PDB file of all heavy atoms in Angstrom:
ATOM      1  N   PHE B  58      -0.053  -4.165   0.884  1.00 92.00           N
ATOM      2  CA  PHE B  58      -1.221  -3.765   0.095  1.00 92.00           C
ATOM      3  C   PHE B  58      -0.753  -2.963  -1.122  1.00 92.00           C
ATOM      4  O   PHE B  58       0.049  -2.044  -0.996  1.00 92.00           O
ATOM      5  CB  PHE B  58      -2.172  -2.909   0.921  1.00 92.00           C
ATOM      6  CG  PHE B  58      -2.947  -3.661   1.960  1.00 92.00           C
ATOM      7  CD1 PHE B  58      -3.315  -3.037   3.141  1.00 92.00           C
ATOM      8  CD2 PHE B  58      -3.352  -4.975   1.752  1.00 92.00           C
ATOM      9  CE1 PHE B  58      -4.050  -3.712   4.114  1.00 92.00           C
ATOM     10  CE2 PHE B  58      -4.079  -5.651   2.713  1.00 92.00           C
ATOM     11  CZ  PHE B  58      -4.424  -5.019   3.896  1.00 92.00           C
ATOM     12  N   ASP B  59      -1.286  -3.323  -2.294  1.00 88.00           N
ATOM     13  CA  ASP B  59      -0.905  -2.584  -3.485  1.00 88.00           C
ATOM     14  C   ASP B  59      -2.089  -2.224  -4.362  1.00 88.00           C
ATOM     15  O   ASP B  59      -1.912  -1.770  -5.498  1.00 88.00           O
ATOM     16  CB  ASP B  59       0.144  -3.362  -4.289  1.00 88.00           C
ATOM     17  CG  ASP B  59      -0.351  -4.745  -4.702  1.00 88.00           C
ATOM     18  OD1 ASP B  59      -1.518  -5.066  -4.450  1.00 88.00           O
ATOM     19  OD2 ASP B  59       0.451  -5.495  -5.286  1.00 88.00           O
ATOM     20  N   TYR B  60      -3.279  -2.451  -3.843  1.00 91.00           N
ATOM     21  CA  TYR B  60      -4.469  -2.124  -4.626  1.00 91.00           C
ATOM     22  C   TYR B  60      -5.537  -1.675  -3.652  1.00 91.00           C
ATOM     23  O   TYR B  60      -5.774  -2.350  -2.645  1.00 91.00           O
ATOM     24  CB  TYR B  60      -4.918  -3.362  -5.420  1.00 91.00           C
ATOM     25  CG  TYR B  60      -6.035  -3.128  -6.397  1.00 91.00           C
ATOM     26  CD1 TYR B  60      -5.851  -2.306  -7.504  1.00 91.00           C
ATOM     27  CD2 TYR B  60      -7.259  -3.749  -6.237  1.00 91.00           C
ATOM     28  CE1 TYR B  60      -6.869  -2.104  -8.412  1.00 91.00           C
ATOM     29  CE2 TYR B  60      -8.286  -3.551  -7.152  1.00 91.00           C
ATOM     30  CZ  TYR B  60      -8.080  -2.730  -8.236  1.00 91.00           C
ATOM     31  OH  TYR B  60      -9.087  -2.538  -9.141  1.00 91.00           O
ATOM     32  N   PHE B  61      -6.149  -0.539  -3.961  1.00 95.00           N
ATOM     33  CA  PHE B  61      -7.065   0.079  -3.004  1.00 95.00           C
ATOM     34  C   PHE B  61      -8.370   0.433  -3.709  1.00 95.00           C
ATOM     35  O   PHE B  61      -8.372   0.842  -4.876  1.00 95.00           O
ATOM     36  CB  PHE B  61      -6.423   1.338  -2.405  1.00 95.00           C
ATOM     37  CG  PHE B  61      -5.086   1.067  -1.788  1.00 95.00           C
ATOM     38  CD1 PHE B  61      -3.922   1.161  -2.541  1.00 95.00           C
ATOM     39  CD2 PHE B  61      -4.987   0.695  -0.460  1.00 95.00           C
ATOM     40  CE1 PHE B  61      -2.688   0.880  -1.984  1.00 95.00           C
ATOM     41  CE2 PHE B  61      -3.759   0.421   0.107  1.00 95.00           C
ATOM     42  CZ  PHE B  61      -2.609   0.507  -0.652  1.00 95.00           C
ATOM     43  N   LEU B  62      -9.461   0.267  -2.978  1.00 95.00           N
ATOM     44  CA  LEU B  62     -10.769   0.456  -3.585  1.00 95.00           C
ATOM     45  C   LEU B  62     -11.675   1.223  -2.633  1.00 95.00           C
ATOM     46  O   LEU B  62     -11.486   1.190  -1.413  1.00 95.00           O
ATOM     47  CB  LEU B  62     -11.431  -0.905  -3.874  1.00 95.00           C
ATOM     48  CG  LEU B  62     -10.630  -1.947  -4.647  1.00 95.00           C
ATOM     49  CD1 LEU B  62      -9.801  -2.819  -3.716  1.00 95.00           C
ATOM     50  CD2 LEU B  62     -11.563  -2.827  -5.457  1.00 95.00           C
ATOM     51  N   TRP B  63     -12.653   1.867  -3.204  1.00 97.00           N
ATOM     52  CA  TRP B  63     -13.734   2.474  -2.433  1.00 97.00           C
ATOM     53  C   TRP B  63     -15.054   1.869  -2.881  1.00 97.00           C
ATOM     54  O   TRP B  63     -15.303   1.689  -4.083  1.00 97.00           O
ATOM     55  CB  TRP B  63     -13.777   3.986  -2.624  1.00 97.00           C
ATOM     56  CG  TRP B  63     -12.708   4.712  -1.886  1.00 97.00           C
ATOM     57  CD1 TRP B  63     -11.487   5.102  -2.361  1.00 97.00           C
ATOM     58  CD2 TRP B  63     -12.750   5.153  -0.519  1.00 97.00           C
ATOM     59  NE1 TRP B  63     -10.776   5.743  -1.381  1.00 97.00           N
ATOM     60  CE2 TRP B  63     -11.533   5.801  -0.245  1.00 97.00           C
ATOM     61  CE3 TRP B  63     -13.712   5.080   0.499  1.00 97.00           C
ATOM     62  CZ2 TRP B  63     -11.235   6.352   1.009  1.00 97.00           C
ATOM     63  CZ3 TRP B  63     -13.420   5.629   1.728  1.00 97.00           C
ATOM     64  CH2 TRP B  63     -12.192   6.263   1.979  1.00 97.00           C
ATOM     65  N   TYR B  64     -15.891   1.558  -1.880  1.00 97.00           N
ATOM     66  CA  TYR B  64     -17.223   1.035  -2.129  1.00 97.00           C
ATOM     67  C   TYR B  64     -18.232   1.948  -1.457  1.00 97.00           C
ATOM     68  O   TYR B  64     -17.951   2.592  -0.443  1.00 97.00           O
ATOM     69  CB  TYR B  64     -17.363  -0.377  -1.536  1.00 97.00           C
ATOM     70  CG  TYR B  64     -16.746  -1.462  -2.360  1.00 97.00           C
ATOM     71  CD1 TYR B  64     -15.381  -1.713  -2.313  1.00 97.00           C
ATOM     72  CD2 TYR B  64     -17.525  -2.240  -3.203  1.00 97.00           C
ATOM     73  CE1 TYR B  64     -14.810  -2.713  -3.075  1.00 97.00           C
ATOM     74  CE2 TYR B  64     -16.961  -3.253  -3.970  1.00 97.00           C
ATOM     75  CZ  TYR B  64     -15.609  -3.480  -3.894  1.00 97.00           C
ATOM     76  OH  TYR B  64     -15.047  -4.466  -4.656  1.00 97.00           O
ATOM     77  N   LYS B  65     -19.421   1.938  -2.026  1.00 97.00           N
ATOM     78  CA  LYS B  65     -20.527   2.730  -1.506  1.00 97.00           C
ATOM     79  C   LYS B  65     -21.648   1.765  -1.158  1.00 97.00           C
ATOM     80  O   LYS B  65     -21.909   0.813  -1.908  1.00 97.00           O
ATOM     81  CB  LYS B  65     -20.969   3.689  -2.616  1.00 97.00           C
ATOM     82  CG  LYS B  65     -22.164   4.538  -2.375  1.00 97.00           C
ATOM     83  CD  LYS B  65     -22.376   5.420  -3.618  1.00 97.00           C
ATOM     84  CE  LYS B  65     -23.572   6.300  -3.499  1.00 97.00           C
ATOM     85  NZ  LYS B  65     -23.734   7.145  -4.714  1.00 97.00           N
ATOM     86  N   LYS B  66     -22.298   2.000  -0.037  1.00 94.00           N
ATOM     87  CA  LYS B  66     -23.358   1.081   0.376  1.00 94.00           C
ATOM     88  C   LYS B  66     -24.585   1.856   0.833  1.00 94.00           C
ATOM     89  O   LYS B  66     -24.510   2.675   1.755  1.00 94.00           O
ATOM     90  CB  LYS B  66     -22.864   0.155   1.497  1.00 94.00           C
ATOM     91  CG  LYS B  66     -23.880  -0.923   1.855  1.00 94.00           C
ATOM     92  CD  LYS B  66     -23.380  -1.813   2.955  1.00 94.00           C
ATOM     93  CE  LYS B  66     -24.360  -2.954   3.220  1.00 94.00           C
ATOM     94  NZ  LYS B  66     -25.705  -2.487   3.590  1.00 94.00           N
ATOM     95  N   TYR B  67     -25.699   1.540   0.178  1.00 93.00           N
ATOM     96  CA  TYR B  67     -26.991   2.041   0.622  1.00 93.00           C
ATOM     97  C   TYR B  67     -27.610   1.008   1.565  1.00 93.00           C
ATOM     98  O   TYR B  67     -27.290  -0.182   1.488  1.00 93.00           O
ATOM     99  CB  TYR B  67     -27.925   2.263  -0.564  1.00 93.00           C
ATOM    100  CG  TYR B  67     -27.518   3.382  -1.496  1.00 93.00           C
ATOM    101  CD1 TYR B  67     -27.238   3.124  -2.845  1.00 93.00           C
ATOM    102  CD2 TYR B  67     -27.428   4.694  -1.060  1.00 93.00           C
ATOM    103  CE1 TYR B  67     -26.894   4.140  -3.718  1.00 93.00           C
ATOM    104  CE2 TYR B  67     -27.071   5.723  -1.924  1.00 93.00           C
ATOM    105  CZ  TYR B  67     -26.806   5.434  -3.247  1.00 93.00           C
ATOM    106  OH  TYR B  67     -26.450   6.441  -4.108  1.00 93.00           O
ATOM    107  N   PRO B  68     -28.537   1.439   2.430  1.00 88.00           N
ATOM    108  CA  PRO B  68     -29.216   0.490   3.321  1.00 88.00           C
ATOM    109  C   PRO B  68     -29.897  -0.619   2.541  1.00 88.00           C
ATOM    110  O   PRO B  68     -30.443  -0.392   1.464  1.00 88.00           O
ATOM    111  CB  PRO B  68     -30.238   1.368   4.050  1.00 88.00           C
ATOM    112  CG  PRO B  68     -29.685   2.743   3.985  1.00 88.00           C
ATOM    113  CD  PRO B  68     -28.970   2.834   2.671  1.00 88.00           C
ATOM    114  N   ALA B  69     -29.828  -1.820   3.068  1.00 85.00           N
ATOM    115  CA  ALA B  69     -30.499  -2.990   2.503  1.00 85.00           C
ATOM    116  C   ALA B  69     -29.977  -3.383   1.121  1.00 85.00           C
ATOM    117  O   ALA B  69     -30.650  -4.114   0.386  1.00 85.00           O
ATOM    118  CB  ALA B  69     -32.007  -2.797   2.454  1.00 85.00           C
TER     119      ALA B  69
END
Side-chain angles (χ1 to χ4, degrees):
Chain B
F58 287 149
D59 58 5
Y60 187 65
F61 305 90
L62 309 89
W63 285 95
Y64 281 81
K65 175 179 179 179
K66 186 180 185 302
Y67 292 119

